[in-house]
């Protein structure tokens, strides 16, 4: 059965909707929510069933209180196969609809998990607390450099990586044109949400100063988030300098 879920005011604490299903007859689910001030809306569509595909869209209500064709499409994510879809954007107060849509070539039921949250922009609490696999780096067996851009329409980039025994990494965010921050997370319960105690480290220097996180003995799986602090768009260079340690 098609789901229409009115969440009400979207809180900072993630709202989760797990093990939902779409099929040929019920191809979309809609989740209504509102924000009462300018905030960062964070949406994460994960754990899409193997061999299937679903996409994510964000609409703003046109003022009539119903999800219909008059609503404004604000943003969308349509990565292929069962890769995670996510949206992170600064938005004005209003009523919004998150739509999960079954991709037409999928067969049978498509299952998925959805998480939603609203965080405070231009603050150290503005990091998204959701952990989609936007950029999967795999095992860091050597140095890795990635380039990206964050802005009001993409407030957070999330990178996933792992380290083996006797491995460490220094992480640097540089090349900034406006203020941005980074933090390192170990999702110990694998729920794809940043829970209390899972933040390993963060760097939140002001202005365009490079951000640095240095750690050793970090064997395991991690997420690194790049977060917009200033409301001004900035490109960035993210460097993972992998090295060998002497202790496990």
């Amino acid at each position: 059965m098609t789901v229409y879920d009115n969440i009400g005011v979207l809180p900072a604490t993630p709202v989760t909707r797990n093990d939902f299903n779409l099929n040929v007859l019920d191809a979309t689910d809609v989740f209504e929510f509102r924000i009462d001030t300018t905030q960062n809306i964070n949406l994460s569509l994960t754990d899409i069933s193997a061999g299937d595909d679903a996409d994510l869209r964000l609409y703003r209500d046109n003022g009539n209180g119903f999800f219909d064709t008059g609503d404004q499409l604000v943003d969308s994510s349509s990565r292929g196969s069962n890769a995670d879809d996510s949206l992170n954007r600064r938005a004005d107060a209003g009523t919004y609809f998150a739509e999960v849509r079954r991709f037409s070539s999928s067969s049978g039921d498509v299952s998925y998990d959805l998480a939603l949250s609203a965080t405070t922009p231009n603050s150290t609490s503005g990091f998204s607390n959701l952990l989609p696999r936007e950029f999967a780096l795999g095992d860091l067996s050597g140095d890795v450099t990635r380039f990206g851009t964050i802005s009001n329409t993409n407030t957070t980039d999330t990178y996933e990586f792992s380290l083996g025994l006797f491995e460490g990494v220094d992480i640097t965010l540089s090349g900034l044109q406006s203020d941005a921050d980074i933090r390192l997370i170990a999702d110990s319960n694998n729920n794809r949400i940043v829970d209390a105690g899972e933040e390993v480290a963060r760097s939140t220097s002001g202005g365009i100063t490079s951000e640095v996180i240095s750690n050793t003995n970090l064997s395991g799986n991690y997420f690194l988030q790049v977060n917009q602090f200033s409301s001004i768009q900035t490109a960035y260079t993210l460097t993972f300098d992998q090295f060998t340690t002497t202790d496990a």
Side-chain angles (χ1 to χ4, degrees), residues 30-100:
V30 176
F31 303 85
E32 177 183 347
F33 62 87
R34 74 176 193 273
I35 54 175
D36 292 335
T37 61
T38 298
Q39 290 184 285
N40 291 340
I41 295 175
N42 310 300
L43 306 176
S44 179
L45 179 65
T46 63
D47 293 321
I48 300 168
S49 48
D52 294 320
D53 191 1
D55 299 326
L56 183 61
R57 298 187 180 188
L58 177 66
Y59 293 86
R60 183 168 183 175
D61 181 34
N62 60 7
N64 66 2
F66 298 97
F67 181 57
D68 56 31
T69 56
D71 295 324
Q72 176 192 359
L73 176 62
V74 176
D75 208 346
S76 64
S77 176
S78 54
R79 300 180 68 190
S81 187
N82 67 332
D84 295 349
D85 283 297
S86 62
L87 299 173
N88 302 282
R89 63 179 298 129
R90 182 177 171 128
D92 294 329
T95 296
Y96 293 84
F97 305 97
E99 181 193 50
V100 180

Side-chain angles (χ1 to χ4, degrees), residues 70-220:
D71 295 324
Q72 176 192 359
L73 176 62
V74 176
D75 208 346
S76 64
S77 176
S78 54
R79 300 180 68 190
S81 187
N82 67 332
D84 295 349
D85 283 297
S86 62
L87 299 173
N88 302 282
R89 63 179 298 129
R90 182 177 171 128
D92 294 329
T95 296
Y96 293 84
F97 305 97
E99 181 193 50
V100 180
R101 177 177 295 190
R102 176 183 178 276
F103 188 67
S104 60
S105 65
S106 297
S107 59
D109 288 352
V110 178
S111 63
Y112 67 89
D113 295 345
L114 179 69
L116 315 87
S117 71
T119 50
T120 305
N122 305 113
S123 74
T124 55
S125 61
F127 282 98
S128 170
N129 43 22
L130 311 182
L131 296 173
R133 294 187 177 97
E134 291 184 295
F135 304 101
L137 304 181
D139 177 55
L140 293 185
S141 56
D143 296 346
V144 173
T145 299
R146 292 290 184 268
F147 304 95
T149 301
I150 49 175
S151 64
N152 287 342
T153 59
N154 177 44
T155 56
T156 302
D157 280 344
T158 302
Y159 295 79
E160 183 189 35
F161 68 94
S162 62
L163 292 168
L165 292 175
F166 304 102
E167 291 181 342
V169 65
D170 292 331
I171 303 169
T172 303
L173 181 74
S174 60
L176 300 174
Q177 292 85 48
S178 63
D179 197 359
D181 301 317
I182 55 175
R183 70 170 175 172
L184 184 65
I185 299 139
D187 184 24
S188 56
N189 59 5
N190 296 311
N191 69 350
R192 313 294 292 282
I193 289 171
V194 185
D195 296 309
E198 292 186 336
E199 182 178 304
V200 176
R202 68 166 58 190
S203 178
T204 56
S205 302
I208 60 173
T209 302
S210 295
E211 307 289 351
V212 179
I213 294 176
S214 298
N215 282 278
T216 59
N217 305 329
L218 281 175
S219 61

